[in-house]
Amino acid sequence: MNYAIVFRLLGYILLCEGGLMCLPALVSAVYSEWAVLRVFLLTIALCCAIGGALTRIRPRRRIFYMREGCVTAALTWVVISVMGAVPFVLSGAIPDPIGALFETVSGFTTTGASVLADVESLPMGILFWRSFTHWIGGMGILVFLLAVLPMTGGSHVNLMKAESPGPQVEKMVPSVRQTAKILYTIYLGMTLIQIVFMLAGGCPLMDSLMITFGSAGTGGFGIKNDSMASYSPYIQVVVTISMILFGVNFSAYFYLIRGKFRKVLIEEVRWYLAVVAVAIALISWNIREMFPSLLTAVQQAAFQVGSIITTTGYSSCDFDQWPTFAKSILVALMFIGACAGSTGGGMKISRLVILLKSIRREIAQTLHPSVVTPVRVDGKPLDQETIRTTHVFMGAYIILFAASVLLVSLDGESFTTNFTAVAATFNNIGPGLAGVGPMMNFGHYSGFAKLVMTFDMLAGRLEIFPLLLLFAPETWKKF
């Protein structure tokens, strides 16, 4: 393990976090929240002091491999979450450190699960920071680091592979730094476009910013106690479209900009859009009698489908009151998730496509043992390593999910509450059903259960293995 370069990178991460905290500090100053401003300035000073000390470490070897990449990614998310929780605790918004950590991890991992019952009572600076963590975590803070710092030496693609969701991570251009810049340019551009449309609909500036942070990062922290229910149908439609678009693989937008239209609708994107369309149609039919018109039912169904499959977690109504069939579809969408290479969470459409095609191959080879049938995606055969890692991921996913439900059940909540609470945190969604429904929160869980779900949120965002590596003794051996 190249400890020096890992600590040095963590130092840069803390400096970045300190710099990003200047925005909520500015918001606190604008709204004359002087006590909150002092809290942010103190936290910024801590980030800069610790980060500055770590960046003074001079590694003998600047080359780092996948092990260093995974460890750096996992520790990055732990460190930024711990420091990001400090303003919540010191300001008194969430005095319980475990609850504050849960809320911060939920923000950075773009989960949107909250321990707060009354978010409207928060100071504006804290509310802004809470939503801004979604935008920071959406594309990934390591990708941001690669985009802004002229890092030299080492295989930097290992950092991107460790943090970026999905079974495959490819460079759009030969330079990793240039790829990171392209990703963040697209991300920022789409964010600004949504803000403009929100403002055009009469949404206040601060609301537009914070709601867009949640949509872009597919996070879903509501800034109203009823999430998005009190906003106009126009605003809800804008957010619906935005959530679905941010759930698309960002490579598709890169190819669209470059004029490579044949590569835009790759197989994963086609599957994703098909699942969204079918889910909206089925739920609209099932809930049509609960709304004054079919058009309203379609609009509400589209919002919740877009929110759940992209793992955003906003709610435009209490979907816990919907028929069982509609709720079952939403729970299924929690596990399916968005596209790889997007800001969404879940298992990812690409993995499910690979699994379905692997099952079809096994059936074909059982019937015709002598026939070689490769698994193809976009017409190209997948290598066995990609298929193997997909199967291993699914196995680890099921084991961790079952263990988490078992541990959380010690709190004595109902099975529906516990199952969907773990599904909502592990898949980085936010709301579940019953006791953690769209109009409820996670504050009633014990500290132990919150820590379990905090682990689940981090594991879900990092796709399990980078976080598990922290617990493997062999990871920490020097070489």
Side-chain angles (χ1 to χ4, degrees), residues 111 113 308 319-320 327-328 330-332 334-335 401 405 408 413-438 442 444-445 453 456:
T111 302
I308 297 299
F319 58 79
D320 197 25
K327 290 192 291 186
S328 298
L330 291 179
V331 171
M334 289 182 182
F335 292 93
F401 185 90
V405 172
V408 169
E413 301 284 348
S414 70
F415 176 75
T416 301
T417 298
N418 292 331
F419 184 89
T420 57
V422 172
T425 50
F426 202 10
N427 294 307
N428 304 132
I429 293 165
L433 300 175
V436 290
F442 289 71
H444 53 82
Y445 274 108
M453 289 185 281
D456 288 342

Side-chain angles (χ1 to χ4, degrees), residues 273-285 301-302 305 309 325-326 329-330 333:
L273 296 176
V275 170
V276 169
V278 171
I280 291 173
L282 292 175
I283 292 178
S284 299
W285 172 82
V305 168
I309 195 170
F325 179 71
I329 293 174
L330 291 179
L333 294 178

Side-chain angles (χ1 to χ4, degrees), residues 78-219:
V78 173
V79 168
I80 64 170
S81 297
V82 170
M83 294 304 297
V86 172
F88 288 106
V89 177
L90 295 184
S91 67
I94 309 177
D96 172 34
I98 293 178
L101 181 64
F102 180 96
E103 194 83 8
T104 310
V105 170
S106 180
F108 279 120
T109 59
T110 70
T111 302
S114 180
V115 298
L116 296 168
D118 183 15
V119 298
E120 294 180 38
S121 64
L122 293 175
M124 187 57 72
I126 293 295
L127 194 62
F128 184 91
W129 172 240
R130 181 173 174 265
S131 297
F132 191 42
T133 55
H134 279 336
W135 196 85
I136 296 170
M139 185 57 65
I141 195 164
L142 282 173
V143 177
F144 177 77
L145 187 70
L146 289 170
V148 299
L149 289 183
M151 299 172 64
T152 58
S155 300
H156 300 143
V157 72
N158 289 330
L159 285 176
M160 191 174 289
K161 284 183 177 179
E163 186 180 50
S164 300
Q168 294 177 328
V169 175
E170 297 179 355
K171 293 184 289 185
M172 296 177 181
V173 292
S175 167
V176 175
R177 188 184 180 198
Q178 193 63 29
T179 297
K181 283 185 175 180
I182 290 171
L183 287 172
Y184 255 97
T185 300
I186 296 171
Y187 188 45
L188 180 60
M190 292 176 65
T191 300
L192 293 175
I193 290 171
Q194 183 183 344
I195 292 172
V196 169
F197 275 98
M198 296 284 286
L199 292 172
C203 189
L205 176 60
M206 290 303 294
D207 288 32
S208 298
L209 289 172
M210 292 186 284
I211 292 170
T212 300
F213 290 155
S215 304
T218 60

Side-chain angles (χ1 to χ4, degrees), residues 265-341:
L265 290 178
I266 56 177
E267 187 170 356
E268 181 187 28
V269 174
R270 296 198 302 271
W271 274 84
Y272 168 70
L273 296 176
V275 170
V276 169
V278 171
I280 291 173
L282 292 175
I283 292 178
S284 299
W285 172 82
N286 192 228
I287 65 172
R288 65 191 185 282
E289 296 181 357
M290 299 181 66
F291 294 93
S293 68
L294 179 61
L295 182 62
T296 304
V298 171
Q299 186 254 316
Q300 292 295 319
F303 187 97
Q304 293 309 148
V305 168
S307 178
I308 297 299
I309 195 170
T310 61
T311 70
T312 303
Y314 282 140
S315 57
S316 58
C317 62
D318 188 1
F319 58 79
D320 197 25
Q321 304 301 315
W322 286 2
T324 302
F325 179 71
K327 290 192 291 186
S328 298
I329 293 174
L330 291 179
V331 171
L333 294 178
M334 289 182 182
F335 292 93
I336 293 173
C339 296

